[in-house]
Amino acid sequence: MSTFQTVKGFRDFFPEECARRNYIFDTWRAVARRYGFMEYEGPLVESTDLYRKKSGDEITNQLYCFLDKAKREISLRPEITPSLARMVTARQRDFKKPIKWFQIGPCFRYEEPQEGRSREFIQFNADILGDSSPATSAELIALAIDVMLEFGVSADDFIIRLSNREIWNTFLADKNIAAEHMQTFLQIIDKIERARPEETEKKLAPIGLTLAEVRAFMAAADENHPAFAALRENLTARGLWQHIRIDATIVRGLAYYTGTVFEVFDLKHGLRALAGGGSYDKLCALMSDGHVDLPAAGFAMGDVVLGILLKKTPGAQMKLTEALLAASSIDAFVVVADEAQRLHALAAVQALRAVGIRIDYSFGSQKVGKQFQAAEDRKARFAIVFGAEYPEVVIKNLVARSQSSVPAANLVDEVQKLLQEPAIGPLIA
Ligand code: HAM
């Protein structure tokens, strides 16, 4: 056992976890491309000021920040959105609007590790910049829904909780409450489900509000509220409105959101949010001291809660298992039954790999039985045996338990042909 362990909240990815992670990446990428998004990436480290100014207290309290050797204050990124706004505002003239970009990569937050929370996690971000219509939020919500469905998580397993910060602006204005209380008020709403009622009441009092009036307003904010009309029409036309639940308690912890806000939750296991996002129309202007005024909206999905849900959801689990099998298996194992044929076998290994066939073999002399065992362990579909009968080579189908013999010169063609046939197991009499 090593004397060293991972730093608290950081993760190792052994091959199985790596395969699981790659499956998640492949699925995110495939659906984002289906929606016409292009991939980008930003740096892992930014100046700490970027987050102090743009993300708000909740995230800055969780920053992994330090001084570099030149005494610059820098931070590991807790999210990519401020970097995205920085990148886009720097070169916005170079890109046709709307900009539809996605990104996949690690983020770091100094939180207490617990179920669904680690200090290093991976996010999938999708953002649209340069179009302020509700169609952008609808497109992003549709993308989030399709990602969940693609993973095999069905309509019974998840929900999008949707709200709009504007409805709270109107609420405060109607009650004659000064706009400066907005951020404090939103923080109270953000925690309202988890906090004890007496606590919430105490926090609302200095703003001049009671819990009862806040609750009454929340109960009245349903899908008929005009703030949701355009989104509702759009998502209903796509057959996706069934995935939406209006929930005024969703306001999002980050400071930069301006209008629509949403989060994705599972319905059966009470897990933390799988994803969250919304529109943030002022962030680009803030980033560029008012020079670039680009409306924007986006969301991020993390891999940690998603990973837990995939394991707990049978339909998703099946897809995951298939992907893990595909990632860990090979097409054929080359068995050297007669060491005198090893160099011929090596030539064949290279020729087969050159056309894209996944091949493994034993590095040194080994009993034939052991080599077949290795072929089974690697879940190889075929064993290709180089024995005394060379230049004839035996191909054993390890799934169907059948075999054929081919001249070595035809081996690559023959294996390619066999791999195109469906992999059927032995017929049961
Ligand atoms: P966020 O809600 O802070 O939003 O994070 C999005 C998702 O990242 C969460 O729903 C969760 O799945 C995952 N996540 C966050 N913190 C942790 C953690 N400590 N451990 C594991 N997973 C975590 C944002 O980051 C916004 N920048 C999203 C966005 C993109 N808004 C507009 N564009």
Side-chain angles (χ1 to χ4, degrees):
M1 200 177 108
S2 164
T3 41
F4 290 106
Q5 287 168 0
T6 53
V7 172
K8 186 174 172 184
F10 285 73
R11 299 174 291 172
D12 289 324
F13 288 91
F14 285 91
E16 192 178 328
E17 286 102 39
C18 219
R20 185 175 293 121
R21 189 189 69 165
N22 289 343
Y23 162 69
I24 291 177
F25 287 7
D26 291 348
T27 307
W28 280 340
R29 251 189 205 110
V31 184
R33 295 218 175 102
R34 217 185 280 164
Y35 273 69
F37 283 65
M38 296 211 313
E39 190 161 1
Y40 74 99
E41 179 56 297
L44 286 181
V45 164
E46 292 271 13
S47 86
T48 301
D49 265 350
L50 182 79
Y51 305 114
R52 269 200 209 112
K53 288 191 187 140
K54 324 298 178 199
S55 301
D57 290 347
E58 179 149 326
I59 274 207
T60 43
N61 292 336
Q62 299 169 347
L63 279 181
Y64 261 97
C65 47
F66 46 95
L67 291 179
D68 71 5
K69 290 187 178 170
K71 303 266 185 295
R72 293 183 201 93
E73 279 194 274
I74 57 177
S75 292
L76 294 180
R77 68 181 181 206
E79 56 160 344
I80 192 93
T81 315
S83 305
L84 171 66
R86 180 183 56 66
M87 287 164 68
V88 169
T89 49
R91 288 190 39 199
Q92 64 101 8
R93 278 167 213 273
D94 297 343
F95 308 112
K96 294 246 174 336
K97 315 294 178 309
I99 293 167
K100 293 171 76 177
W101 287 0
F102 78 96
Q103 176 272 350
I104 295 170
C107 294
F108 307 87
R109 293 185 194 176
Y110 201 89
E111 289 192 62
E112 203 42 45
Q114 51 191 287
E115 189 178 60
R117 278 285 170 276
S118 57
R119 291 183 173 175
E120 178 223 2
F121 56 97
I122 296 158
Q123 273 191 350
F124 159 61
N125 280 265
D127 290 85
I128 304 178
L129 298 101
D131 183 331
S132 63
S133 68
T136 57
S137 293
E139 180 81 342
L140 290 159
I141 291 170
L143 170 57
I145 293 170
D146 269 342
V147 164
M148 297 306 292
L149 297 175
E150 188 66 24
F151 278 119
V153 180
S154 72
D156 299 337
D157 299 311
F158 76 98
I159 197 86
I160 311 279
R161 288 160 73 180
L162 174 73
S163 188
N164 192 316
R165 280 192 175 186
E166 288 291 335
I167 65 173
W168 288 116
N169 282 336
T170 319
F171 170 77
L172 293 187
D174 288 350
K175 303 266 172 200
N176 289 322
I177 290 168
E180 70 199 51
H181 292 302
M182 186 65 182
Q183 280 303 334
T184 320
F185 177 72
L186 290 180
Q187 297 288 337
I188 300 170
I189 300 297
D190 190 37
K191 308 263 166 346
I192 202 165
E193 278 191 331
R194 279 160 283 157
R196 282 183 297 125
E198 313 85 79
E199 259 174 50
T200 309
E201 196 79 79
K202 226 180 176 168
K203 286 195 221 152
L204 286 171
I207 306 178
L209 288 168
T210 65
L211 182 56
E213 58 190 334
V214 170
R215 283 237 167 97
F217 178 78
M218 282 186 339
D222 63 10
E223 62 178 12
N224 299 314
H225 194 288
F228 307 117
L231 266 179
R232 183 178 173 182
E233 186 184 48
N234 185 313
L235 290 170
T236 304
R238 299 179 192 219
L240 298 177
W241 189 250
Q242 47 154 332
H243 299 286
I244 310 290
R245 185 188 291 163
I246 302 299
D247 183 340
T249 65
I250 301 295
V251 292
R252 312 272 303 128
L254 293 158
Y256 48 67
Y257 293 106
T258 47
T260 298
V261 278
F262 64 95
E263 291 188 343
V264 183
F265 280 91
D266 84 281
L267 282 172
K268 296 194 177 138
H269 308 286
L271 303 175
R272 285 164 171 272
L274 290 138
S279 57
Y280 51 99
D281 289 343
K282 304 276 185 296
L283 187 62
C284 287
L286 198 68
M287 196 66 70
S288 60
D289 291 328
H291 293 298
V292 181
D293 194 7
L294 271 182
F299 75 89
M301 185 176 288
D303 70 323
V304 180
V305 184
L306 178 69
I308 299 171
L309 182 64
L310 296 187
K311 281 191 196 159
K312 288 181 186 270
T313 309
Q317 174 70 52
M318 238 168 63
K319 284 189 131 185
L320 180 64
T321 309
E322 266 171 37
L324 293 186
L325 184 66
S328 64
S329 61
I330 55 171
D331 296 315
F333 194 95
V334 169
V335 173
V336 182
D338 174 3
E339 275 302 314
Q341 311 307 331
R342 177 163 290 271
L343 299 184
H344 294 302
L346 282 175
V349 163
Q350 288 313 116
L352 289 159
R353 286 174 174 169
V355 296
I357 298 171
R358 296 170 304 162
I359 299 290
D360 207 354
Y361 67 100
S362 300
F363 291 151
S365 162
Q366 219 178 21
K367 288 212 171 85
V368 171
K370 277 219 152 148
Q371 295 184 57
F372 271 99
Q373 186 55 53
E376 300 263 346
D377 293 345
R378 296 300 325 273
K379 303 181 196 81
R381 204 170 140 192
F382 297 101
I384 301 171
V385 187
F386 282 72
E389 38 313 290
Y390 189 85
E392 282 292 300
V393 178
V394 177
I395 305 175
K396 284 183 188 275
N397 184 327
L398 300 176
V399 182
R401 304 273 164 210
S402 58
Q403 73 174 59
S404 56
S405 171
V406 288
N410 300 347
L411 181 64
V412 172
D413 287 349
E414 188 59 25
V415 176
Q416 274 183 312
K417 214 166 72 200
L418 289 172
L419 279 170
Q420 297 204 340
E421 291 170 7
I424 315 168
L427 290 176
I428 298 163

